[in-house]
Amino acid sequence: MKALTWHGRHDVRVERVPDPEIVLPRDAILKVTSTAICGSDLHLYDGYIPTLRAGDVLGHEFMGEVVETGTSSTLKKGQRVVVPFTISCGSCFFCSKHQYSACDNSNPAETSDASETLMGHAMGAAFGYAHLTGGYAGGQAEYVRVPFSDVGPIVIPDHLEDDQVLFLSDILPTGWHAAVNADIEPGDTVAVWGCGPVGLFAIQSAFKLGAHRVIAIDHYPSRLKLAKQMGADILDYREVEVLEALKEMTGGIGPDAVIDCVGMESHGIAIDNLADTVKAHLMLGTERPHALRQMIIACRKGGRVSIPGVYGGFADKFPLGQLMEKGLTIKSGQTPVQKYTKDLLKLIEEGELDTTFMISHREPLSDAAELYQKWHDEQDTYTKIVLKPGMDQKPQVDLAAARQVEPAE
């Protein structure tokens, strides 16, 4: 089959790889119908996430049709499902508390040991993201193996199109989780740093959860335009001094809650960010947390800090004193997607949440390598890219049927 594979910094390729197979009884095989490039995929593209290996299949936002099932899978052939990016067993201590992204059983021992050394505890598993998170092949491919298929995937009704539900795999629940973690109260002012896909969904979710006002901070005109269309006030950090603007907009108090949808690769020409950038290029550090520092300083006393943005290591110049003296509360972590998918699917069906507004490009899987470069370099034009394996000119082979054909002698 064809798949998008990683071979080094800024080197991804669409190439032929072995077809996935059922390995364990709870597995299923999907024929991928839609898959997306995520902003966190750029951390892999830029080489900031360790333990990737040449040939690893990327992609953690995908959905498709079930074509094979293991004996213990609850899925049925022909069903359309969206698959959470988190791989979760459903029965460990953490899954029992609905903390699915912290699953203790999905990351195999041979890969979890390294993550335990780095993070203090073993990380949960995820599709297509590195061997720290299990080394599972991702969904930017024609087919994908789905472990624990009786726990993660959610079956999609036939009347909903892929574009309406694809983002249940990651960015919609992540934006929702970001807003939930902000503990939004009626009348709150919420500031969101970063208006990429997660940021836009966090804005949408914050309003849905009762925020009176949302202030969106970015510098890409197309993203700020989308944020404004959703009802947010906007700040272009290249045109205003963000901390002063937020004070003025909140009567000197500061936002009640702040949400970091930027993560480890902040942009900008602030002195602290320039130093972080130099360290990252010299491999002396992994984080550029300028946006997080700014958020902590901007947030009102007694406010809440939500961090859905991805970080991977240690950060210096962290404003710990400001965090403590102001009495701020921080909530963060990878999204427990399975906790939210049923409720969010219902909101989509009822027309309460829209996801399609974000898609700027629908392209064939065969163009994925070029599109990674476009997504990296032209984010004002490429808001969200959805890859469609079915758009490729050559017809796809039915994997299940192909396996039943005896090889020619």
Side-chain angles (χ1 to χ4, degrees):
M1 68 171 185
K2 286 191 294 186
L4 190 283
T5 59
W6 184 90
H7 289 272
R9 186 173 185 269
H10 297 168
D11 182 5
V12 294
R13 310 169 193 174
V14 176
E15 56 189 3
R16 293 284 177 182
V17 302
D19 295 336
E21 297 181 350
I22 298 291
V23 177
L24 297 170
R26 297 169 71 183
D27 289 352
I29 304 294
L30 294 193
K31 175 183 177 182
V32 178
T33 55
S34 295
T35 181
I37 304 175
C38 182
S40 57
D41 286 330
L42 294 184
H43 302 320
L44 306 177
Y45 187 69
D46 284 335
Y48 287 119
I49 303 298
T51 72
L52 278 166
R53 300 173 187 170
D56 282 349
V57 178
L58 304 185
H60 58 270
E61 296 182 357
F62 60 90
M63 64 176 294
E65 177 186 343
V66 179
V67 294
E68 291 187 51
T69 59
T71 56
S72 299
S73 174
T74 55
L75 298 179
K76 298 178 181 179
K77 294 181 182 180
Q79 288 180 322
R80 293 171 62 230
V81 297
V82 174
V83 180
F85 78 91
T86 49
I87 303 173
S88 310
C89 75
S91 58
C92 69
F93 172 85
F94 297 100
C95 287
S96 69
K97 292 182 174 292
H98 296 172
Q99 297 172 341
Y100 297 101
S101 56
C103 178
D104 243 356
N105 291 329
S106 55
N107 194 345
E110 60 267 23
T111 54
S112 64
D113 288 349
S115 69
E116 184 172 356
T117 299
L118 181 62
M119 300 295 177
H121 293 84
M123 298 171 67
F127 287 98
Y129 210 75
H131 291 265
L132 280 174
T133 55
Y136 291 93
Q140 290 168 1
E142 292 180 309
Y143 293 89
V144 62
R145 170 186 167 238
V146 179
F148 302 110
S149 64
D150 54 328
V151 176
I154 182 167
V155 179
I156 301 302
D158 290 338
H159 65 272
L160 294 176
E161 300 291 334
D162 279 20
D163 288 352
Q164 294 176 273
V165 296
L166 171 61
F167 302 140
L168 285 169
S169 58
D170 177 2
I171 54 174
L172 177 58
T174 297
W176 186 267
H177 185 58
V180 168
N181 277 350
D183 292 330
I184 295 170
E185 300 172 355
D188 272 354
T189 293
V190 180
V192 178
W193 272 253
C195 296
V198 169
L200 291 169
F201 280 139
I203 292 168
Q204 185 184 55
S205 301
F207 279 125
K208 191 70 180 173
L209 291 172
H212 171 69
R213 187 184 194 187
V214 178
I215 303 170
I217 302 154
D218 206 303
H219 71 290
Y220 290 112
S222 65
R223 292 180 172 184
L224 290 171
K225 181 179 179 180
L226 286 172
K228 188 173 183 179
Q229 289 173 353
M230 299 173 74
D233 297 324
I234 61 174
L235 293 177
D236 185 334
Y237 69 75
R238 291 184 175 178
E239 296 182 358
V240 301
E241 210 295 312
V242 171
L243 293 176
E244 291 182 4
L246 288 173
K247 282 186 178 181
E248 183 177 344
M249 297 169 79
T250 59
I253 294 175
D256 299 288
V258 294
I259 301 178
D260 175 5
C261 296
V262 177
M264 66 191 296
E265 292 190 73
S266 290
H267 295 282
I269 56 174
I271 292 175
D272 65 316
N273 205 37
L274 292 174
D276 291 335
T277 301
V278 171
K279 286 185 177 181
H281 282 294
L282 293 176
M283 305 303 290
L284 298 175
T286 56
E287 317 294 350
R288 303 206 306 262
H290 170 71
L292 180 57
R293 296 187 189 109
Q294 193 174 70
M295 287 170 48
I296 291 172
I297 294 171
C299 191
R300 72 160 172 84
K301 291 179 285 186
R304 291 90 64 192
V305 179
S306 173
I307 310 175
V310 173
Y311 291 92
F314 296 91
D316 59 9
K317 300 180 293 297
F318 187 79
L320 183 60
Q322 291 86 339
L323 172 70
M324 181 270 169
E325 294 293 347
K326 293 168 71 173
L328 303 183
T329 299
I330 290 182
K331 291 185 179 181
S332 64
Q334 297 288 0
T335 305
V337 176
Q338 295 90 332
K339 181 178 179 179
Y340 302 114
T341 46
K342 289 183 180 179
D343 290 339
L344 292 174
L345 177 60
K346 183 178 179 181
L347 289 173
I348 291 171
E349 285 197 278
E350 294 173 348
E352 294 293 320
L353 286 179
D354 173 50
T355 65
T356 60
F357 74 93
M358 191 178 300
I359 302 171
S360 59
H361 294 77
R362 298 170 180 84
E363 303 291 345
L365 175 66
S366 55
D367 293 344
E370 178 185 354
L371 291 164
Y372 259 74
Q373 182 266 320
K374 295 288 187 182
W375 175 231
H376 183 272
D377 296 339
E378 302 177 34
Q379 291 189 34
D380 191 44
T381 302
Y382 289 78
T383 308
K384 187 66 176 179
I385 301 168
V386 174
L387 303 171
K388 302 277 191 178
M391 290 178 67
D392 292 326
Q393 292 183 352
K394 294 182 180 180
Q396 297 186 62
V397 175
D398 186 306
L399 181 59
R403 287 205 180 124
Q404 298 175 13
V405 176
E406 292 294 330
E409 295 182 2

